Amino acid sequence: MDQKIFEAVDKYISDLFIPPDEALKAAEQSHQLENIPLINVSPNLGKLLHLFAKISKAGKILEIGTLAGYSTIWMAKALPEGGRLISLEIDPHHAEVARKNIDRAGLSSRVEIRVGKAIDLLARLVKENAGPFDMIFIDADKPPYTEYFEWSLKLSGPGTLIIADNVIRDGKVLDQNNDDPMVKGAQRFNKALAANKHVSATILQTIGVKEYDGMAIAIVK
Ligand code: SAH
Ligand code: DHB
Ligand code: MG
């Protein structure tokens, strides 16, 4: 078993379950056209986020880390009439491209992108009493994942689904001596998540067209 078969099977699954979609394709292409890193979720993980939003009947979704809006579009498509998604992004260029992609997908009336440091924007959301969100997707810079999780809890209620991307980092989380700040951020977050009494959680290993990684899945009690 190697990366080649994981990629082939990932494509087999997306060919079966993801019908061609102009807006999603354009959002994917915008990464190259606009010089934005190719670190968006894969199509099958985008579909998984969409299903999670449906399963949790989410009417209010919060995303931390928009990039070009690829995961945003997948989740916003799951919202019912009148549903809202707020996505936080530090990079004005990413936010601008994301707004175009979201507009092209016909979702701009449901999606608000806020530009700034996620920690500051999260504090403001708490001040605004913007919660509780039904689903929160943590996918911004990795070192402060634990802090993003703590702020997310303040914006949650019973049953809120909290998902965090990139928590296995190619299996590097097993190495306690690894000094990559992204790996250390994931290790610290995973430990805090497991120890937190307010949530029940697990981690799903993710393989496929992207690097081997994992998504944490938690539900607020
Ligand atoms: N969710 C996206 C991928 C997000 S990549 C998708 O799957 O399509 C991570 C994003 O977080 C990048 O756009 C990066 O600019 C943003 N980011 C990094 N540090 C941040 C911070 N401190 N506050 C808010 N956003 C940040
Ligand atoms: C990185 C960030 C991501 O959100 C991701 O899915 C993959 C990689 C990164 O910053 O390297
Ligand atoms: Mg990610």
Side-chain angles (χ1 to χ4, degrees):
M1 300 289 270
D2 59 5
Q3 182 57 28
K4 244 192 188 140
I5 190 145
F6 297 149
E7 276 179 27
V9 171
D10 208 22
K11 291 208 174 91
Y12 166 81
I13 296 168
S14 54
D15 285 347
L16 276 173
F17 293 101
I18 305 179
D21 181 300
E22 285 303 321
L24 282 170
K25 200 171 88 189
E28 280 188 287
Q29 285 168 346
S30 74
H31 286 251
Q32 270 123 333
L33 294 171
E34 299 282 353
N35 205 19
I36 291 174
L38 287 164
I39 54 174
N40 51 315
V41 294
S42 67
N44 286 326
L45 287 177
K47 178 73 185 277
L48 183 69
L49 291 172
H50 175 88
L51 290 172
F52 278 146
K54 288 274 191 196
I55 291 163
S56 57
K57 298 187 167 62
K60 263 167 77 175
I61 300 175
L62 174 64
E63 176 176 62
I64 309 171
T66 318
L67 197 65
Y70 184 73
S71 54
T72 319
I73 292 172
W74 269 115
M75 291 187 287
K77 277 158 73 86
L79 286 169
E81 198 68 43
R84 297 282 291 161
L85 187 155
I86 297 177
S87 189
L88 314 180
E89 173 55 54
I90 199 167
D91 186 315
H93 177 57
H94 293 178
E96 186 199 322
V97 174
R99 284 192 187 108
K100 276 191 219 154
N101 287 332
I102 289 157
D103 197 33
R104 202 190 281 109
L107 295 164
S108 20
S109 63
R110 293 183 209 172
V111 177
E112 180 189 347
I113 296 172
R114 296 191 177 187
V115 180
K117 278 182 69 174
I119 284 287
D120 302 338
L121 298 174
L122 285 163
R124 195 176 316 154
L125 285 169
V126 169
K127 264 196 191 142
E128 283 173 17
N129 256 312
F133 289 88
D134 305 301
M135 176 175 169
I136 301 178
F137 179 46
I138 302 174
D139 194 21
D141 50 329
K142 314 308 168 191
Y145 257 37
T146 308
E147 286 70 32
Y148 295 157
F149 171 60
E150 282 160 5
W151 280 105
S152 295
L153 285 177
K154 294 189 215 287
L155 292 162
S156 295
T160 296
L161 181 63
I162 301 177
I163 311 282
D165 194 26
N166 313 116
V167 299
I168 295 298
R169 308 302 312 187
D170 220 356
K172 294 189 180 101
V173 287
L174 297 180
D175 177 9
Q176 289 312 313
N177 299 318
N178 189 304
D179 56 14
D180 176 344
M182 299 213 264
V183 173
K184 291 178 96 148
Q187 288 169 328
R188 189 164 70 94
F189 166 76
N190 293 340
K191 228 171 146 178
L193 184 69
N196 193 290
K197 292 186 177 62
H198 302 292
V199 297
S200 177
T202 190
I203 295 171
L204 184 70
Q205 298 186 61
T206 54
I207 51 164
V209 294
K210 302 257 165 167
E211 196 176 58
Y212 166 47
D213 215 317
M215 256 188 196
I217 302 160
I219 189 154
V220 178
K221 293 180 192 164

